[in-house]
Amino acid sequence: MGEPTLRDRIELYYATVPLAFADAEEFGPLRLFVRKGEGAPYYGGPNHAYPVPAGPAPVAPASAGPAPVAPVPAGPAPVAPASAGPAPVAPVPAGPAPVAPASAGPVSVDPVPAGSASGGPVASGSASSGPVGTDINAADIARVRARQRQLGVAESFEWLAEVTPSLRALVEAAGLPVAERPLMVLDPHHPLPPQPLPEGVTIRILDADDPGLPAVLALPRLAFADVGTAVGPAGRAELAAVAEKLVADGTVETMRPTLLTGHKVLAAAFAPDGTPLAAGHYHPARGITEIGGIGTLPTARRQGLGAAVMAALATHAREHGVHTVFLAYADAAVARIYARLGFRPAGTTLLIADQPARGQ
């Protein structure tokens, strides 16, 4: 058997990474990821459906698990108005010893159980990759949507356009609008030096107890509410207000275990006063990861902060055993920035237009 293709690896990732946060239910040729707990961190939009691979394909072997991120020195004080005297911010830590990438010899992954037409649970640790069946029909989509309504979640689907091209017409015929998110992959041999930062700004990986965590989790809410790359009005005051809400509603506490286990790696660029100006994350699985949630505080845009955080995350992922780094984008201007970093086109993800985006 030959080496797994890039499409195989991305398909494997999409079939695997949600299982860190969700259980899977089978509905014939469709799988529905159902998050394990109320408010639990989730990847890929809450409770989305995904085509079930029809059989095994050669894939990279699974690693022992995502590498934990080493604790970092105490970070900046919680977000506050800029002070007269800047406080030093800890640099990005070296982290634990790199994890060896997947071996060159591919192995086969067991086929996904077929399940039943009415839906049935699948072990939360199982995943497979392979040719996706084309026998999806309108009744399958209807059953999944009925289950999503029963769960009280959005009727959301997500899949690779090139792997299951027939699904788009079926989903649109069911009355759900479909949006495209082109993918880009980082050339594994492309050097990725640290990107320039404004004076006094530093980047670090956050641990579960980082005092900057509430504001870093709040930052994408403001960044994605004001789309585009133009400088916007939302700044420190708005960030502090959203951070307070995330503490009060338990979002911050819910995120801590995910950071402790290494299922999610979070990075941010901090101003000298400790305010996060840009942030992003990745979820490693089987030596593959998608970098997502790259957002910049609207008042801090046009300074190269998003590119710097992206480069820091990709470098950290490489140093911790990740050999395939990819991303999705919705803005052509952002794609040009990623292309300058060494990312190249790699297919298209399709999802429901009003489905929550990854990282939000």
Side-chain angles (χ1 to χ4, degrees):
M1 292 185 291
E3 291 289 339
T5 66
L6 174 61
R7 186 180 298 173
D8 288 335
R9 296 195 298 272
I10 293 176
E11 185 76 0
L12 172 67
Y13 183 79
Y14 282 148
T16 302
V17 73
L19 297 175
F21 314 109
D23 293 318
E25 297 178 4
E26 300 292 335
F27 293 80
L30 290 173
R31 168 180 293 171
L32 177 62
F33 296 114
V34 179
R35 65 185 180 189
K36 296 177 181 178
E38 183 64 31
Y42 195 78
Y43 174 92
N47 310 288
H48 75 273
Y50 175 86
V52 175
V59 296
S63 65
V69 179
V72 297
V79 175
S83 60
V89 178
V92 177
V99 177
S103 64
V107 298
S108 296
V109 174
D110 292 335
V112 177
S116 64
S118 61
V122 176
S124 62
S126 68
S128 71
S129 178
V132 174
T134 58
D135 56 345
I136 302 171
N137 58 43
D140 298 319
I141 294 172
R143 282 192 290 271
V144 170
R145 295 178 70 187
R147 175 61 171 149
Q148 289 171 324
R149 289 192 295 270
Q150 182 185 47
L151 293 167
V153 300
E155 296 176 26
S156 54
F157 294 74
E158 187 167 343
W159 70 99
L160 285 177
E162 296 80 7
V163 174
T164 319
S166 62
L167 183 55
R168 179 170 191 162
L170 289 169
V171 169
E172 289 179 331
L176 297 173
V178 175
E180 297 184 1
R181 291 292 182 268
L183 301 176
M184 302 181 80
V185 66
L186 181 62
D187 183 336
H189 305 294
H190 185 81
L192 197 60
Q195 300 299 295
L197 290 166
E199 184 176 358
V201 174
T202 55
I203 295 178
R204 73 167 182 273
I205 303 295
L206 283 81
D207 66 15
D209 298 319
D210 196 301
L213 182 59
V216 170
L217 295 178
L219 197 153
R221 310 291 179 101
L222 299 178
F224 296 130
D226 184 359
V227 297
T229 59
V231 175
R236 285 170 166 80
E238 292 81 3
L239 186 65
V242 176
E244 288 180 5
K245 291 179 181 178
L246 297 185
V247 172
D249 68 12
T251 298
V252 175
E253 285 304 314
T254 301
M255 184 59 62
R256 296 191 198 277
T258 308
L259 296 176
L260 281 170
T261 59
H263 286 312
K264 182 171 186 172
V265 177
L266 189 62
F270 289 88
D273 69 346
T275 301
L277 303 177
H281 65 256
Y282 72 87
H283 296 265
R286 296 177 176 242
I288 311 162
T289 199
E290 179 176 20
I291 294 178
I294 300 291
T296 302
L297 192 65
T299 56
R301 288 172 175 164
R302 300 292 180 90
Q303 300 183 73
L305 295 170
V309 169
M310 171 64 75
L313 284 166
T315 298
H316 188 275
R318 283 174 161 181
E319 291 173 348
H320 291 78
V322 174
H323 51 74
T324 302
V325 178
F326 72 101
L327 57 85
Y329 69 89
D331 188 290
V334 172
R336 289 192 289 271
I337 295 172
Y338 297 154
R340 290 197 293 270
L341 293 177
F343 286 84
R344 56 182 174 80
T348 305
T349 295
L350 297 179
L351 67 163
I352 306 309
D354 56 358
Q355 169 177 326
R358 286 186 293 275
Q360 294 187 38

